[in-house]
């Protein structure tokens, strides 16, 4: 709902002439209360009051304008109001409208808070992470751990694509791949990804865990196990071989 109102010039001051009944549905105040002198000024958030009043005076001088601010509801909480007014014909009245956009503002603040949390978790993560365009593979963002681990500067890294890191073709989404560091060192990385929207683009958030030591250790243990099994098999075979007859005589 929207509140419509009009102000009338009386000598050098402007006074509220009329306010639509929707003011009660939005603010909890009656129309009789809304036309009282000082009602609007007293309802402004204390942190914004001085600036909003100054802006309104400027709009009156210019013949119109618009602003956003917080206004106290009759129950004590604050609403976000979009206030727009225009000078009517003859210059003796100002006609304006209020729109309550509190829900949209709360959604925007929640989104900003969510993005801030993502940014903190992304940058502070000790594991290399980056965001890449899903189609092109070009890097869109990268955390400090990835820059340090791969040996690139931020600008240098963001000029590349995921294909510049790969030793050979592998799954871009998950599994173990071989990657090049800047100095040419080849490392094994285990990729974990999830899809997301990044600045309006289809993208993938990637965590790249260096598993080079783990995989080498696993391969070494597997090799030792095969050798041990082979030795045991040789011993077993030796124990089961019969002694030649000429040696028994």
């Amino acid at each position: 709902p929207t509140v419509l109102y009009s102000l009338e010039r009386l000598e050098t001051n402007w006074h509220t002439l009329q306010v639509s009944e929707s003011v009660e549905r939005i603010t909890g105040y009656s129309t009789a209360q809304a036309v009282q002198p000082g009602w609007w000024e007293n309802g402004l958030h204390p942190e914004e009051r001085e600036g909003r009043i100054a802006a309104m005076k400027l709009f009156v001088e210019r013949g119109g304008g618009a602003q956003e601010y917080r206004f106290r509801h009759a129950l004590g909480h604050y609403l976000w109001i979009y206030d727009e007014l225009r000078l009517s014909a003859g210059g003796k009245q100002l006609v304006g409208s209020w729109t309550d956009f509190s829900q949209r503002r709360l959604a925007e603040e929640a989104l900003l808070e969510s993005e801030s949390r993502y940014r903190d978790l992304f940058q502070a993560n000790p594991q290399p992470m980056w965001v890449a365009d899903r189609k092109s593979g070009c890097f869109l963002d990268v955390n400090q751990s990835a820059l340090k681990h791969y040996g690139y500067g931020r600008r240098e890294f963001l000029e590349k694509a995921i294909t510049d890191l790969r030793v050979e073709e592998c799954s871009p989404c998950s599994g173990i791949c071989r990657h090049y560091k800047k100095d040419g060192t080849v490392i094994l990385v285990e990729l974990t990804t999830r899809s997301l929207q990044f600045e309006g683009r289809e993208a993938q958030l990637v965590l790249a865990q260096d598993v080079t030591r783990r995989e080498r250790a696993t391969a070494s243990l597997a090799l030792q196990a095969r050798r041990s099994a082979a030795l045991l098999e040789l011993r077993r075979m030796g124990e089961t071989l019969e002694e030649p007859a000429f040696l028994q005589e």
Side-chain angles (χ1 to χ4, degrees):
T2 298
V3 176
L4 301 178
Y5 66 91
S6 61
L7 305 177
E8 184 179 37
R9 184 193 294 273
L10 294 177
E11 297 180 353
T12 59
N13 296 317
W14 291 86
H15 299 272
T16 305
L17 179 65
Q18 187 176 3
V19 178
S20 63
E21 293 181 357
S22 54
V23 70
E24 188 165 359
R25 294 202 301 275
I26 292 179
T27 70
Y29 295 99
S30 66
T31 54
Q33 290 173 301
V35 297
Q36 293 299 311
W39 174 80
W40 177 76
E41 291 87 343
N42 292 332
L44 295 170
H45 193 284
E47 295 177 359
E48 302 176 0
R49 184 175 293 130
E50 184 177 347
R52 297 309 101 204
I53 292 174
M56 184 63 76
K57 289 180 179 178
L58 183 61
F59 295 158
V60 169
E61 293 175 3
R62 293 179 175 178
Q67 61 179 332
E68 298 176 357
Y69 51 79
R70 287 171 289 177
F71 190 86
R72 188 178 63 248
H73 190 278
L75 295 178
H77 61 276
Y78 280 88
L79 307 169
W80 277 98
I81 300 295
Y82 177 77
D83 190 354
E84 185 175 14
L85 75 161
R86 292 287 181 269
L87 194 64
S88 65
K92 293 184 178 181
Q93 283 191 4
L94 283 164
V95 178
S97 64
W98 275 16
T99 303
D100 176 10
F101 71 103
S102 302
Q103 293 301 316
R104 190 190 79 196
R105 183 66 181 229
L106 290 173
E108 290 173 351
E109 290 177 351
L111 179 60
L112 288 174
E113 184 179 352
S114 175
E115 290 176 348
S116 177
R117 286 199 302 269
Y118 151 77
R119 173 63 55 183
D120 292 341
L121 291 172
F122 179 77
Q123 289 298 342
N125 199 301
Q127 295 290 349
M129 297 182 73
W130 58 74
V131 178
D133 184 276
R134 180 180 291 181
K135 292 183 179 179
S136 68
C138 293
F139 295 121
L140 305 176
D141 201 1
V142 60
N143 72 356
Q144 192 61 36
S145 297
L147 298 177
K148 182 178 180 180
H149 196 70
Y150 282 82
Y152 290 101
R154 180 175 178 81
R155 181 175 179 180
E156 192 177 14
F157 194 96
L158 293 178
E159 289 175 348
K160 297 183 176 296
I162 186 61
T163 51
D164 296 319
L165 300 183
R166 294 179 190 156
V167 176
E168 67 270 315
E169 189 64 30
C170 61
S171 172
C173 299
S174 60
I176 295 177
C177 291
R178 294 200 299 164
H179 279 184
Y180 287 117
K181 288 187 174 184
K182 183 179 179 179
D183 63 5
T185 302
V186 176
I187 58 175
L188 292 170
V189 292
E190 188 170 32
L191 304 179
T192 304
T193 71
R194 77 175 183 87
S195 299
L196 78 163
Q197 285 282 329
F198 186 84
E199 297 179 352
R201 300 167 70 170
E202 294 290 332
Q204 288 183 325
L205 174 65
V206 181
L207 184 148
Q209 182 181 5
D210 189 335
V211 294
T212 306
R213 291 183 179 179
R214 187 192 76 186
E215 291 300 307
R216 286 177 179 172
T218 300
S220 178
L221 288 172
L223 179 59
Q224 290 178 21
R226 289 196 298 272
R227 286 176 176 174
S228 297
L231 288 172
L232 286 173
E233 181 63 20
L234 286 173
R235 289 174 182 172
R236 187 185 65 79
M237 291 175 63
E239 292 172 355
T240 57
L241 287 175
E242 293 185 1
E243 188 176 7
F246 70 90
L247 291 178
Q248 296 176 7
E249 293 178 355

